[in-house]
Amino acid sequence: MAKCSICNSRKGKRRCLIAGGLVCSLCCGNTRKPETCSECGFYKKPKRKYNDVPAYSVSEMDGNMELESYGNTVEGALCSYDIENENKLNDSDAIRIIELLIDIYHFKDQQMDTDSQVIANGVTYVKDAMISDLKDVDNEIIVKILGVIRFVAKRRTKIGREYMKIIHQYVGPRIGDLPILQR
């Protein structure tokens, strides 16, 4: 029986890229780091808890013209991007765009974690609108706006485009100087 090369007390069952030998599942889990273990089959990127991100409540947003205008920038850009994509964005696409923006503004990610070019272009499109319209707005406020938009989108969606239809009806496309993305 091969013992764990880290703790030397339990049976080593997993080949470890770092330890250079077999390790037990407990040591594997306790020593796992993204920068060294991302190639390992046992490594799973931790899931983000978007429900725990600071967000304004719907009642805080309601009637606050300043906060509503910030939200309209984001949702208006989503509408414009949807129109450029022939109204084919699903709610899940819009929610993923918002989550990736939360990754940038709240979690300070430098790279987007998506394989979808449509989602990546959507993040760039909405972020450009935010940089243009919200350049003087505190990062904390932007995070809370993104948090409440995600909350509302998750609450409104069923399986398709329910949230997108609502923002098209009540917000509409953003009017601005954003370049049209090349397809």
Side-chain angles (χ1 to χ4, degrees), residues 45 48 50 78 90-103 109 111-116 119-120 122-123 150 153-154:
K45 187 175 180 183
R48 294 270 165 90
Y50 293 106
L78 279 172
N90 286 323
D91 291 349
S92 61
D93 298 328
I95 291 167
R96 188 66 189 134
I97 289 169
I98 296 302
E99 288 175 346
L100 288 169
L101 288 165
I102 291 171
D103 289 348
D109 286 1
Q111 295 179 355
M112 277 188 263
D113 184 19
T114 184
D115 295 331
S116 167
I119 301 291
V123 170
R150 180 186 175 278
K154 294 282 282 185

Side-chain angles (χ1 to χ4, degrees), residues 134-149:
L134 306 177
K135 61 182 165 271
D136 297 327
V137 178
D138 235 18
N139 192 67
E140 181 181 324
I141 292 171
I142 290 173
V143 168
K144 288 178 152 185
I145 294 293
L146 293 170
V148 72
I149 289 171

Side-chain angles (χ1 to χ4, degrees), residues 14-33:
R14 298 178 178 184
R15 178 142 322 271
C16 180
L17 301 171
I18 300 167
L22 296 174
V23 296
C24 67
S25 59
L26 183 63
C27 287
C28 176
N30 289 337
T31 60
R32 225 178 271 161
K33 293 185 176 119

